[in-house]
Amino acid sequence: MPRRLRRTVRHTHFEVRCDTAFPEVIRRCAEAAPGRRETWINEEIARLYVELFEMGRAHSVECWDGGALVGGLYGVALGGAFFGESMFSRATDASKIALVHLVARLKLGGYTLLDTQFVTPHLGQFGVVEVARAGYRAMLARALEAHATFQRGLPDGALESFLQSTTQMS
């Protein structure tokens, strides 16, 4: 994790919540953006993800600034695998902060795989790598057999402990 981002996470004014605005996070992820008039998230897909959320299989991580939802992400949890589906940001670093909080929760909850679907420059700064199909299938099989629990909250000190674990030592 970039040093500047660790500092931003530590000193952010955003309130980070989980699963309090799942349908709204999907709506925000589906909105048009500069250079993107439409997304793959249509009404039917959004409805199905909300059903997964109601079943406890999908989760959101949200960044709030006062009463405004300014960033977040959502995904699907199966066994020890979490499939990140989409993210959005309406404030500087909001989606990055949401991702850091997601990873901290996944590690604490016993997840072994975070599938980001694509490798982008944004995700690459976090160490995301593309995995060959055979390797991915093996990782996925192990993750699906694992038992993990999505952590909606973090115990005192857990985020700081996670941030310290991402510090590169030379």
Side-chain angles (χ1 to χ4, degrees):
M1 179 185 319
R3 181 179 299 163
R4 186 191 71 75
L5 182 57
R6 274 196 306 275
R7 189 171 40 246
T8 299
V9 170
R10 284 183 173 114
H11 302 293
T12 186
H13 65 278
F14 298 136
E15 177 186 358
V16 179
R17 303 180 202 164
C18 293
D19 294 346
T20 65
F22 187 88
E24 183 63 23
V25 170
I26 290 180
R27 278 193 293 278
R28 298 285 177 92
C29 289
E31 288 177 349
R36 185 185 77 190
R37 292 194 338 229
E38 57 185 53
T39 70
W40 60 274
I41 307 169
N42 60 32
E43 288 184 33
E44 178 71 4
I45 289 173
R47 183 186 64 75
L48 293 170
Y49 277 113
V50 170
E51 284 184 23
L52 287 170
F53 171 73
E54 290 168 350
M55 294 168 42
R57 292 291 187 190
H59 301 281
S60 62
V61 179
E62 311 136 11
C63 287
W64 294 84
D65 190 356
L69 179 61
V70 296
L73 56 82
Y74 74 95
V76 175
L78 296 172
F82 190 90
F83 304 88
E85 297 297 329
S86 192
M87 59 186 357
F88 80 96
S89 184
R90 300 295 181 269
T92 302
D93 292 331
S95 65
K96 293 175 187 176
I97 291 169
L99 182 59
V100 169
H101 276 261
L102 171 68
V103 174
R105 285 163 168 77
L106 296 180
K107 288 183 87 62
L108 186 64
Y111 287 82
T112 59
L113 175 66
L114 170 54
D115 182 333
T116 63
Q117 298 181 30
F118 300 100
V119 177
T120 65
H122 175 71
L123 295 172
Q125 70 182 322
F126 295 98
V128 170
V129 295
E130 191 164 342
V131 178
R133 184 181 306 261
Y136 176 77
R137 285 184 174 170
M139 291 168 61
L140 180 60
R142 285 190 303 274
L144 292 175
E145 292 175 3
H147 297 284
T149 304
F150 188 82
Q151 304 292 310
R152 286 183 176 89
L154 290 174
D156 288 342
L159 182 62
E160 183 58 34
S161 178
F162 170 71
L163 292 173
Q164 287 178 359
S165 76
T166 66
T167 301
Q168 293 182 352
M169 303 298 282
S170 55

